[in-house]
Amino acid sequence: MAEPSHYLGVDIGTTSTKAVLFNKAGQVLATETIFYPLHTPTPLTAEQDPEEIFRAVLGTVRETIRKSAIDPATLKLVSFSSAMHSLIAVGAEDQLLTESITWADSRAAKHATRIKEEMDGHSIYLRTGTPIHAMSPLSKIVWLKEDKPEIFSQTAMFADIKSFVFHKLFGEYVVDHSIASATGLFNLENLDWDSGALEVAGIYAGQLPKPVPTTHPLSGLASEYAAFMGIPKDVPFIIGASDGVLANLGVGAIDPGVVAVTIGTSGAVRTVSPVPKTDPKGRTFCYALTADHWVIGGAVNNGGIILRWLRDEFAAAEVETAKRLCIDPYDVLTRIASTVNPGSDGLLFHPYLTGERAPLWDSNARGSFFGLSIHHEKQHMIRAVLEGIVYNLYTVLLAVEELTGEPTLIKASGGFARSEMWRQLMADVFGQPVTVPESFESSCLGAVVLGMYALGEIDDFSIVGDMIGHTHTHEPDPACTEIYKELLPIFIRLSRLLTDEYASIADFQRKHLG
């Protein structure tokens, strides 16, 4: 009997790192998650400790292997997923000059505006596929150059969190094409650092990690880390890709017309193209998966984080009820929302509590209720919040459709997919059937499938369909869809009309809140 084969996917996320061990059939054998804080000393700052994240990587691998009780010799590969847009300034002696500045950090907002308006930012976007926004490393480097020159002048390497981890493990700075394509500095055509973007940033290519394909294997794992994790020193480490593109792979949304919609802390709408495509209007991103798989879509800041805000700030009684009933507080909130008519009786919520990426790409955007009247009650506001999150994702889908055509199938993933009410709400708003894959470990599974492809164990990605299955398919309710068709144009027009007012109120908040 042949010995079993095991595959480990590691996902370095914004709030946690997760390791998941799979067998060749895609079954989860063991998993471990280690959480870490997001440091927000000011409203604009969102940083993390790179060393803490590195320890989380080591710890999750170690605990997953321990829990599984497998023979480590049967581990065929370790493959990585990672959050995008992080930036770490590192000195000549490998000393950290900054923490890991995450995608949620908006201190570079005014510099992003200046790149757009004064530095031919749209042309840079068309070449690099990353919208000009405070999230992007390009904008963050310009911010460091102009606002933190003492740090900028000492920086020998501008790394992302995955490059930092791989440097610790293997002693070299490398970045996969997927993470590189999310920096605003990487040319999608020649697959190298873009000279025009480097000029705007004021840096040279040697200050960035070496770009490599997402299938690139690394060997020579440092002995001390191999011993700590309990894995062989010679096990191949596949650099992998970003969490977004791997989530598409992990839910099987890689064929033309298939769209993946994810709502976790944030959210995204993504589909795959055989060639890179950028949007003349600058609304969507284009990130690499492989040479002939390019992920087109848009990410939103405001997903599950908005539901957490609703729970913490407005639902103390509901949280207490959940405790008494020994159920999840979010289940209570969605049950309450389900008692309200679709469309919340004309109440709209714009979920821009943390600014917004797609489709607005406006760090100044702010949240609001619109249409509030005396007959609206708390339950209407709860449903309006849930609907607003999905409305916003639908506006991203509209932008994606202009580039790639109308979708034939929508696959949903993320924490929200556990809720039947949210799944049906998405089907009704989108006016399309929504399928929810069985596996919730989409990014880690995607990393493993990419790793298997990298090592030649599979010839293409079709195997993923056999590995995930599906548990739920929701058909849209035509009556509900008609209601949402009436409200969505109002939702979209309002966000456009308020652009100047978003800037004004954001200026006021920065002035008085810091």
Side-chain angles (χ1 to χ4, degrees), residues 110-174:
K110 68 178 183 181
H111 302 285
T113 299
R114 198 159 66 82
I115 294 169
K116 273 185 185 179
E117 297 177 353
E118 303 175 18
M119 301 181 181
D120 201 21
H122 188 63
S123 294
I124 293 175
Y125 157 73
L126 292 174
R127 296 194 305 272
T128 67
T130 303
I132 305 298
H133 185 269
M135 69 177 184
S136 77
L138 168 62
S139 298
K140 290 168 183 165
I141 292 172
V142 173
W143 166 69
L144 286 173
K145 178 177 67 173
E146 298 188 5
D147 289 15
K148 305 286 183 181
E150 70 285 359
I151 294 175
F152 181 84
S153 63
Q154 296 180 64
T155 302
M157 177 62 60
F158 291 98
D160 61 276
I161 187 60
K162 196 203 296 186
S163 296
F164 173 82
V165 167
F166 271 74
H167 180 261
K168 299 273 286 187
L169 294 173
F170 295 98
E172 59 178 312
Y173 282 109
V174 289

Side-chain angles (χ1 to χ4, degrees), residues 8 17 19 32 34 51-67 72 75 78 168-169 221-233 235 237:
L8 188 65
T17 288
E32 175 70 12
I34 294 178
E51 294 287 356
E52 185 174 15
I53 293 174
F54 177 67
R55 292 193 295 271
V57 170
L58 298 180
T60 54
V61 173
R62 175 189 176 100
E63 283 304 298
T64 302
I65 296 297
R66 184 190 65 80
K67 286 179 180 179
L75 183 63
V78 183
K168 299 273 286 187
L169 294 173
L221 177 64
S223 298
E224 61 180 299
Y225 298 133
F228 180 85
M229 291 184 284
I231 62 177
K233 181 181 177 182
V235 64
F237 272 57

Side-chain angles (χ1 to χ4, degrees), residues 207-225:
Q207 289 177 279
L208 296 169
K210 176 186 175 183
V212 296
T214 58
T215 53
H216 181 72
L218 286 93
S219 57
L221 177 64
S223 298
E224 61 180 299
Y225 298 133

Side-chain angles (χ1 to χ4, degrees), residues 2 22 55 72 87 94 118 156 163 166 171 174 216 240 276 300 313 332 338 343 362 381 393 443 449-450 459 470 507:
F22 298 90
R55 292 193 295 271
L87 183 74
D94 285 332
E118 303 175 18
S163 296
F166 271 74
V174 289
H216 181 72
V300 302
E313 302 301 331
V332 174
S338 67
D362 187 353
M381 301 179 79
L393 286 164
S443 292
V449 172
L450 182 64
D459 295 326
H470 72 271
D507 285 343

Side-chain angles (χ1 to χ4, degrees), residues 7 43 86 144 147 201 254 259 277 348 360 429 453 514:
Y7 307 85
S86 58
L144 286 173
D147 289 15
I254 53 174
V259 172
K277 293 182 180 181
L348 297 175
L360 304 182
V429 171
Y453 177 75

Side-chain angles (χ1 to χ4, degrees), residues 427-445:
D428 293 341
V429 171
F430 283 33
Q432 296 251 358
V434 171
T435 297
V436 182
E438 184 175 0
S439 174
F440 290 106
E441 312 294 359
S442 56
S443 292
C444 285
L445 179 59

